[in-house]
Amino acid sequence: MAKTYDYDLFVIGAGSGGVRAARLTALGGKRVAIAEEHRVGGTCVIQGCVPKKFMVMASDFAHQFHTAEGYGWTVEASFDWPEFLQAKDVEIARLSGIYAANLGKAGVDLIHGRAVLKDAHTVEILGKDQTVTAERILIATGGRPWVPEGLPGIEHAITSEEAFHLPQLPKRILIAGGGYIAVEFAGIFAGLGVETTLIYRGPNILRGFDDDVRAHLAGEIEKRGIKVILGCQHEAIEKTETGLLSVLGNGMKIETDVVMFATGRVPHVKALGLETAGVELNDDGAIKVDALSKTTADSIWAIGDVTDRMNLTPVAIREAVAFHETVYRDNPQAFDYAAVASAVFSQPPVGTVGLTESEARHSCPGEVDVYLTRFRPMKYAFTGSDERVLMKLVVDGQSQKVVGVHIVGPEAPEMIQLAAIAVKAGLTKAQWDATCAVHPTMAEELVTLKEKQQPGNMSAG
């Protein structure tokens, strides 16, 4: 006789991936519960992409006001941080409510509390004297900010999570980190009039992105007033009567009102009871899964940032769909991580899809053709601004397929979504060229690039 469980599926973590998997499975007629220790919606909705994008938009108005003056507008503006925070929090609460309501409509039991594994089929809700069993368990607990715990004075620093709720806008901030979160928040605070310093231990920001993108963006954000210090890191943070003193490894000392660490995120696996259920971690501390998101325990799967495969919200959602198809529809699916577009909402923003030039030269069988241009956007013609757009196509010389597209400039995230369709479809450079341009736009440059970049020439356009 088959064993009976309280639920067919129990999901730990009500972020974008967990919610999608729970809803699809419940709509398919299964008994599903989901547990969330914080607010429904997860990092992206509550303290990640969505509120951060609101902050980016709020901060970019200062730049737009300056641009408007070149077009004859006289703008007198002021910014109210508390009013913005209130509006942002109201919208986030609304979105979280929608997520919760959709779970209810699908028939998912929502449990508010921290869930930990007791064994491969049993979950305990801490503090509620509640234990439930499930035939299958899905872990979708996401990630958390990482900070160097042994650094003297680290208790005085904040992470991105606290940055969403600062009671007042600081006059000065130092941000440690060179990834997309650090770069985005540097643009946010600088745009809101905060004296902003960005420090990073590496040779340039945005490690893992195309080298031309990295160099170009570093120059552009400095034009926006951000001071960028590379090749150094904190030795200590000291609290003073007037602020926080950052003592850096290069001998510099910088006093600011706030020190923010955006030095990466780690899978949220602490005290989940994984070992009691037979779930193993990989060498990087993420939950070990196979191509179908199954863990080392037969009844447990994991998706999203907790697996540290490709930490993007849309990817977690697609992994959730693949999980549902595999487990409940007898249609095994493994998500394809090739040619996934992504954006950095820096100022100016970045859009990228496919291979970097370096990756292409390592993976393509023959030569690699590079088409690159830098130009001033038409929007800045009246302003005297020396800001430049970067557009770059990376082409497999043998097949002539466009294998990488990289854009830095206004509306880059919007453009890259459509460019990703062409890259995913494997279209050739000739097919891009055969597409008639839309004029006058920045995007037309993507289908009118004719001159190959010569080796060693880093200043095309």
Side-chain angles (χ1 to χ4, degrees):
M1 182 177 178
K3 185 172 180 180
T4 346
Y5 298 98
D6 298 323
Y7 294 99
D8 298 303
L9 175 67
F10 193 97
V11 182
I12 305 177
S16 298
V19 166
R20 180 60 61 89
R23 289 184 64 239
L24 287 175
T25 306
L27 289 170
K30 301 296 183 180
R31 297 166 301 154
V32 181
I34 189 168
E36 174 55 52
E37 61 180 318
H38 297 303
R39 297 171 66 186
V40 176
T43 296
C44 181
V45 173
I46 306 302
Q47 49 197 12
C49 354
V50 174
K52 181 184 62 184
K53 184 71 178 290
F54 286 138
M55 294 177 81
V56 169
M57 292 187 287
S59 65
D60 190 52
F61 278 110
H63 183 70
Q64 299 303 325
F65 292 150
H66 176 71
T67 303
E69 291 175 359
Y71 285 81
W73 288 90
T74 299
V75 181
E76 294 182 7
S78 62
F79 178 71
D80 189 316
W81 174 252
E83 183 177 338
F84 165 73
L85 287 185
Q86 182 179 11
K88 182 259 299 178
D89 290 343
V90 167
E91 177 61 11
I92 296 307
R94 185 186 73 85
L95 294 174
S96 179
I98 290 174
Y99 270 66
N102 285 341
L103 286 170
K105 291 175 183 177
V108 178
D109 289 343
L110 173 58
I111 300 172
H112 292 283
R114 177 172 173 78
V116 297
L117 296 167
K118 303 307 290 182
D119 59 43
H121 292 282
T122 309
V123 175
E124 179 185 357
I125 311 302
L126 298 184
K128 293 198 172 185
D129 193 27
Q130 183 180 4
T131 300
V132 297
T133 60
E135 181 182 10
R136 296 183 177 94
I137 295 170
L138 176 66
I139 303 171
T141 49
R144 293 293 183 272
W146 177 87
V147 294
E149 293 181 0
L151 179 71
I154 189 62
E155 68 273 11
H156 301 306
I158 67 168
T159 69
S160 58
E161 293 185 349
E162 293 80 37
F164 292 115
H165 307 287
L166 287 173
Q168 59 187 26
L169 196 63
K171 290 183 170 59
R172 305 163 299 172
I173 190 169
L174 184 145
I175 300 175
Y180 70 94
I181 296 175
V183 172
E184 288 171 339
F185 272 101
I188 287 167
F189 285 111
L192 295 176
V194 179
E195 182 182 313
T196 303
T197 302
L198 180 69
I199 70 163
Y200 179 52
R201 61 187 175 87
N204 208 346
I205 58 175
L206 293 186
R207 181 170 62 89
F209 284 72
D210 186 89
D211 286 333
D212 281 319
V213 169
R214 300 173 71 192
H216 186 87
L217 183 64
E220 292 300 307
I221 66 174
E222 285 189 314
K223 292 176 184 177
R224 297 283 184 109
I226 299 169
K227 183 178 182 181
V228 180
I229 303 173
L230 299 171
C232 78
Q233 56 187 337
H234 275 86
E235 288 192 348
I237 302 170
E238 300 173 2
K239 189 171 181 59
T240 69
E241 292 183 358
T242 53
L244 297 174
L245 187 68
S246 292
V247 181
L248 306 181
N250 62 359
M252 293 181 67
K253 294 183 177 181
I254 301 174
E255 187 181 73
T256 56
D257 305 304
V258 173
V259 175
M260 173 180 163
F261 269 72
T263 45
R265 294 176 65 85
V266 293
H268 184 38
V269 297
K270 186 176 180 180
L272 274 179
L274 300 179
E275 61 285 347
T276 66
V279 176
E280 297 177 10
L281 302 180
N282 62 23
D283 293 339
D284 295 321
I287 293 180
K288 185 188 298 185
V289 292
D290 63 16
L292 299 176
S293 296
K294 192 173 188 178
T295 73
T296 50
D298 284 342
S299 58
I300 302 177
W301 282 256
I303 59 172
D305 292 9
V306 76
T307 66
D308 199 27
R309 287 175 287 183
M310 184 175 284
N311 299 339
L312 297 169
T313 296
V315 170
I317 292 171
R318 294 293 290 272
E319 288 173 351
V321 174
F323 159 79
H324 174 71
E325 290 289 327
T326 299
V327 176
Y328 292 106
R329 295 181 64 85
D330 195 26
N331 179 28
Q333 286 189 7
F335 177 68
D336 180 8
Y337 296 92
V340 174
S342 64
V344 180
F345 293 100
S346 49
Q347 298 180 43
V350 175
T352 182
V353 64
L355 303 179
T356 67
E357 180 180 344
S358 176
E359 289 170 341
R361 294 195 186 283
H362 280 90
S363 61
C364 292
E367 293 184 358
V368 172
D369 298 333
V370 175
Y371 299 82
L372 185 150
T373 183
R374 294 183 178 90
F375 58 93
R376 184 174 67 177
M378 182 178 179
K379 185 174 185 177
Y380 299 145
F382 297 167
T383 67
S385 170
D386 64 347
E387 291 193 28
R388 292 289 187 270
V389 170
L390 168 76
M391 290 188 176
K392 181 175 182 177
L393 300 182
V394 180
V395 180
D396 181 337
Q398 185 170 300
S399 68
Q400 280 299 293
K401 290 182 179 179
V402 177
V403 294
V405 181
H406 309 279
I407 307 171
V408 182
E411 309 305 330
E414 303 294 340
M415 285 185 270
I416 207 66
Q417 178 68 85
L418 298 181
I421 299 172
V423 174
K424 191 72 173 179
L427 299 189
T428 65
K429 179 65 165 62
Q431 288 172 309
W432 282 66
D433 293 345
T435 304
C436 189
V438 178
H439 182 76
T441 65
M442 288 182 291
E444 67 181 302
E445 295 286 338
L446 293 172
V447 296
T448 57
L449 284 169
K450 303 298 182 188
E451 297 294 326
K452 293 182 191 178
Q453 184 183 10
Q454 297 303 311
N457 176 19
M458 302 300 290
S459 58

